[in-house]
Amino acid sequence: QVSFLHLMLESQSTSRKKDRCQEVVLTLKVSTATAHSQQINVKFRCRSKKESFIFTFEDHDGSIQHAAAIAPKKKCPTSGCPVLLTLHGTGVPPQNQADSYKRMKGKNWVFGLDTAWVLAPTRHGAHNWEGPGMLTPMTALQRLAQMASKVSWMPAVDARKVVFAGHSMGGHGAWHLATHYPDLALAVVSAAGWIAKEDYGDSNLFFRHDVGVSFTDPGLKAILEACIAENMADHHVSNLRGVPVLARVGAIDRTVHPYYLRRMCRLLEQAGVDVSYAELSGKEHWWWDTWSENDGGVNSDPVVRKFVEQFTVPSEGIGQCHSHDDGENCALETERSKYRSSGALFASEPGRLVGRFVLSVFNPASHDGLRGVRVILQRTAMRRSKVEMEIQAKSAALYTSNVKMLQIETPSVASVPWQQMDDIVIDGTHLTNVSSTSEQPLCLYRHHDGSWNMVSSSLVSLALRRYGPARRVAEYPFLIVVGGWVFVTC
């Protein structure tokens, strides 16, 4: 049996020696009443605020994982700086992934971004950033925000505003997380990212050249494919409308062929997504120098930095940063819509996103929502569900397919104020008394006659916990009972 031991180390000295940095080794003596004592040497690296650091955290399933992070170089607003969540490729340690966001300026290396955190998590095992692999980065976001809130010298973290990024397997992870958490996405950067593992390489082919395919019933095959449909990025491209995308790949990449990025970008364009695609001549799967030596390379050259800064630098005129006399604190006047974004999709009112959007969902348990609309229950499980939205300044019309229950709330990035709308129509049903409700999420249920009405939001968590597939058991802490029956009274 394993038990976690939390240690809090505090320095008694307030002085800091800037010219001296060395490794610290502590010897811990651990003893229990029933076992012999044991000494453990714990090493702490000395890192400056300009460098990456590694931290461990308790993951969603109770396991211990770790991540690397780089703090912003400039001051953050009181609500915190957004996060560039960058996912590594196969075999790349998280610190290497974080440190790939560096460039040479003069004779010195410059790490990280001006106004955003860089967070590079990892997880043991083969996960492709799917299933438990998708929940680990989202948990790391929360743990970084919690850690920063407890110490005064760390810039604050806004875990509700994220640039999803990654390279290779991490590029697929960027597609996967952004399409499943579009309401957190400021932008997406996918470098050499493949679409689905079942169509990439030869390690996880779905029934291709399988000797058992001749004996497999088509109905069984359909069930098995339905269990992995949620991981196919191309099935969810509609969720990225309104989210700027930068996709890039080396023209002679022999690991992830440019075909995958070309195909994904064609689908994104068809869905009305603002996507920029670059196929760099003479570049392979990875490169450090794009146009000049040590300019940042595949993850952090001038093109990537300029793209990311568009969506992580506070907008002028929406929220102004006021420095106090000591120069240490900075506050913004507004919480929402303070970052630059693609203005063409925005209404004249700051932060109100209007237009036509389509939410695509295969497994409600793994999706967060689009424009605040989230599928909670499907009429037929593990089949494609769609919610087509036509959002105006004071009204909205929703058209659903294979949806039995919805949740609607105001999202953090694209701030659609649902509770303030004069008219919301869903499949022909006009919702009444929406403006008089509190800021709590709206929960809507579809009856057999096709009409909708509001129900208790307490049904949401119960409905989501009942979704499969069976592998979701491993996404949360669970107990294995061997022998006999166990009766639990609730």
Side-chain angles (χ1 to χ4, degrees), residues 204-354:
N204 203 33
L205 299 178
F206 183 72
F207 279 104
R208 193 177 304 171
H209 310 306
D210 193 317
V211 295
V213 73
S214 302
F215 309 96
T216 303
D217 183 88
L220 174 60
K221 187 176 180 181
I223 293 174
L224 296 174
E225 188 168 8
C227 293
I228 59 175
E230 63 182 289
N231 301 326
M232 298 178 180
D234 54 338
H235 288 7
H236 303 84
V237 292
S238 68
N239 299 344
L240 291 181
R241 179 168 169 79
V243 180
V245 174
L246 174 63
R248 53 185 1 214
V249 65
I252 55 174
D253 191 330
R254 290 170 288 186
T255 303
V256 178
H257 195 278
Y259 161 78
Y260 296 103
L261 269 293
R262 297 172 191 164
R263 176 181 166 188
M264 190 66 177
C265 288
R266 284 196 296 268
L267 293 169
L268 290 168
E269 288 180 347
Q270 292 173 12
V273 178
D274 179 14
V275 56
S276 301
Y277 173 67
E279 197 169 301
L280 285 85
S281 176
K283 303 301 181 185
E284 298 189 10
H285 191 56
W286 178 268
W287 65 90
W288 284 110
D289 313 315
T290 303
W291 292 284
S292 60
E293 186 176 0
N294 295 324
D295 65 354
V298 59
N299 278 345
S300 190
D301 66 18
V303 169
V304 177
R305 294 199 304 274
K306 183 178 179 180
F307 177 81
V308 172
E309 286 174 359
Q310 292 181 72
F311 314 106
T312 57
V313 175
S315 298
E316 298 178 358
I318 295 179
Q320 297 297 328
C321 195
H322 302 284
S323 297
H324 297 273
D325 295 338
D326 59 5
E328 289 295 322
N329 297 311
C330 201
L332 283 183
E333 297 172 346
T334 58
E335 286 294 320
R336 298 185 181 276
S337 309
K338 57 180 175 285
Y339 298 106
R340 301 172 186 169
S341 192
S342 50
L345 292 175
F346 276 88
S348 57
E349 297 181 57
R352 184 165 294 190
L353 195 58
V354 301

